[in-house]
Every structure is written in C-alpha cells, then in structure tokens.
Amino acid sequence: MEGSYRDATSRFPGGWVSALVIVITFLLLPEEVLSSFNENLWKLQSKLRREVLQVLRSVTDTPLVRHVRDAGLWLLRKFSGGRWSSPCLPPLALGARAGGQGEVLILWSSHH
C-alpha cells in the first residue's frame, strides 16, 4: 500500500465538510420527495431524523448547557437596551376615576 492516511486526507481536506452538507441536505429534504422516489430512502431519512433529534435533546438537556443558555439570555436582555426584554403584559387591574372637570385618574396594577 502506497501512501498513508495523512496523504489521502490531505488531497481533499474539506471532505468532511462536504459530507456534512450532504447529510444535512438529505435530512432537510421534504418527505414527499423521498417517499415518491424510494421507500428505503424515506425510511433511512426518518430514522436519521429521529436519531439526530435524540442526540440534540440529550446534549441540550444537560445542566451546563441550560446555565450557559440562561446566562446568555440574561446578558442579551441586560445589554440590549430593552429590545430583548420580556414582552409587555397588560395590567392585572385597570380602573378610572373622575378627578375633576376634564380630568381622569387611571388606576392600574402591574404583574410584579
């Protein structure tokens, strides 16, 4: 055998990127395309989707990932100038009282 593994991989260094793009494209194809083309491909796509989703769930359900996500969201809300803050909520209680001629006092209580 001539050459080594290093020689084989240096000829096409982006091979793993191409393989990843092909797999992602295959997973994102509509089911109708594969089911009408070949049932075995449709079954393979369904199985790969289930496996990938299970791996993603197991990775993202760890406490470390949750803490990093929560810290990132907190920083985003803190330093975004209110653009990523909590959504506005309507008041819990709203009322009005006449204060005088042409005046109204609006009473409301927030969710805090």
Side-chain angles (χ1 to χ4, degrees):
M1 248 172 92
E2 283 194 34
S4 65
Y5 174 75
R6 184 180 197 101
D7 292 337
T9 57
S10 65
R11 289 184 205 137
F12 192 56
W16 65 273
V17 175
S18 300
L20 185 64
V21 168
I22 290 170
V23 168
I24 290 173
T25 304
F26 177 71
L27 290 174
L28 294 177
L29 279 174
E31 292 181 5
E32 298 82 27
V33 172
L34 292 176
S35 63
S36 64
F37 181 69
N38 187 342
E39 187 175 341
N40 290 331
L41 284 176
W42 175 75
K43 287 180 182 178
L44 176 65
Q45 183 195 39
S46 299
K47 183 176 181 175
L48 281 175
R49 281 182 177 178
R50 281 193 305 271
E51 296 295 328
V52 167
L53 286 175
Q54 186 175 359
V55 168
L56 288 175
R57 276 190 212 111
S58 67
V59 168
T60 58
D61 282 346
T62 62
L64 178 64
V65 172
R66 280 196 304 263
H67 290 311
V68 169
R69 184 194 64 211
D70 292 343
L73 288 173
W74 181 82
L75 286 170
L76 184 66
R77 288 185 187 123
K78 179 85 171 159
F79 296 111
S80 67
R83 287 187 283 287
W84 292 92
S85 297
S86 300
C88 295
L89 298 172
L92 286 175
L94 182 63
R97 187 180 326 154
Q101 194 173 29
E103 294 180 357
V104 175
L105 177 64
I106 297 177
L107 307 167
W108 63 280
S109 60
S110 66
H111 285 270
H112 292 279

